[in-house]
Amino acid sequence: MGCGRVGASLATQLEEQGHSVAVLDQNPDAFRRLPEDFSGQRVTGLGFDRDALSQTGIEDAHGFAAVSNGDNSNILAARVARETFGVEHVVARIYDQRRAEVYERLGIPTVATVRWTADQMLRRLLPTGGVADFRDRSGQVALVQVDVHDGWVGRPVTALEAASGARAAYLTRRGSAFLPDVRTVLQDGDVLHVLARTDAVERAGRIAGSPPPEED
């Protein structure tokens, strides 16, 4: 729902991956953003109107994305898709961070546009470790990439876990990701993602980015 730049891009990518796609927008001129060879449905109507949604074939839909430029429209459309038509995979784009957190707690996955953009900017301005790749719906647990100080190279990942209080979620080494275990030793060039309580993310990043404590 919504054929702005995000909606048109999302619809195009889904179709390129072999999915059947229907796009719903109240402005028929918006469909001009779709490529000429787009073969999916184009339905004109309100995103939360049941008749308009039915025209898209939503009863058989695997997923529904509400990506118009209005928070209220996106949330309402997402709720109709889930509660009326039983669509299992639903996501809504939200600009208001406070609303996004509320709807996440209600079980409606959201993409908070302003927060996401700010996070992406921070990733490019600051060292990694302070911006979460993922937060659970309660906001209490975060998945973050942390910089690993050279002093940790050659030490087991469990030592870093013990010092930082975070758990190693996965390692990327020479372009390949894997799940570390008790035998995993950190190597030069490793990219480490850890799971930590949200209030402990900064500490985990600080410890990982500092030399390890001296051993007795």
Side-chain angles (χ1 to χ4, degrees):
M1 187 274 281
C3 196
R5 286 174 293 182
V6 173
S9 176
L10 180 59
T12 301
Q13 291 181 58
L14 285 169
E15 187 173 72
E16 289 175 348
Q17 294 175 21
H19 300 285
S20 298
V21 185
V23 184
L24 174 63
D25 198 292
Q26 61 181 331
N27 180 8
D29 291 337
F31 299 129
R32 296 177 180 175
R33 296 188 176 92
L34 295 168
E36 293 183 2
D37 60 350
F38 180 75
S39 62
Q41 286 183 270
R42 300 170 175 84
V43 177
T44 302
L46 294 175
F48 45 83
D49 180 79
R50 297 182 184 182
D51 291 336
L53 287 168
S54 291
Q55 291 180 48
T56 68
I58 195 171
E59 292 88 350
D60 300 317
H62 171 79
F64 178 82
V67 291
S68 76
N69 59 4
D71 284 6
N72 291 335
S73 296
N74 288 340
I75 284 299
L76 186 54
R79 292 192 63 182
V80 172
R82 167 167 287 179
E83 297 170 12
T84 301
F85 294 100
V87 180
E88 182 178 359
H89 303 283
V90 173
V91 64
R93 180 173 72 168
I94 300 296
Y95 288 91
D96 188 331
Q97 170 66 31
R98 293 167 297 180
R99 288 183 178 180
E101 293 174 351
V102 170
Y103 288 116
E104 284 280 356
R105 294 191 183 101
L106 293 176
I108 300 176
T110 61
V111 176
T113 304
V114 174
R115 181 182 69 189
W116 183 87
T117 302
D119 285 354
Q120 294 302 307
M121 291 292 182
L122 285 172
R123 289 181 191 280
R124 289 155 177 79
L125 289 173
L126 302 175
T128 55
V131 180
D133 288 304
F134 167 81
R135 288 186 179 87
D136 78 301
R137 290 178 181 174
S138 70
Q140 295 180 354
V141 177
L143 173 70
V144 297
Q145 178 184 321
V146 293
D147 279 332
V148 179
H149 189 274
D150 290 344
W152 290 102
V153 172
R155 298 188 180 224
V157 70
T158 52
L160 180 54
E161 289 180 320
S164 66
R167 293 188 180 180
Y170 68 94
L171 267 171
T172 303
R173 180 173 294 167
R174 293 188 291 277
S176 297
F178 65 96
L179 301 177
D181 57 31
V182 294
R183 298 168 296 178
T184 302
V185 174
L186 291 164
Q187 296 183 13
D188 186 33
D190 281 353
V191 178
L192 176 64
H193 281 78
V194 301
L195 285 167
R197 289 187 57 85
T198 303
D199 57 7
V201 166
E202 183 178 351
R203 177 178 180 272
R206 185 174 64 253
I207 290 175
S210 303
E214 295 184 3
E215 298 178 347
D216 296 332

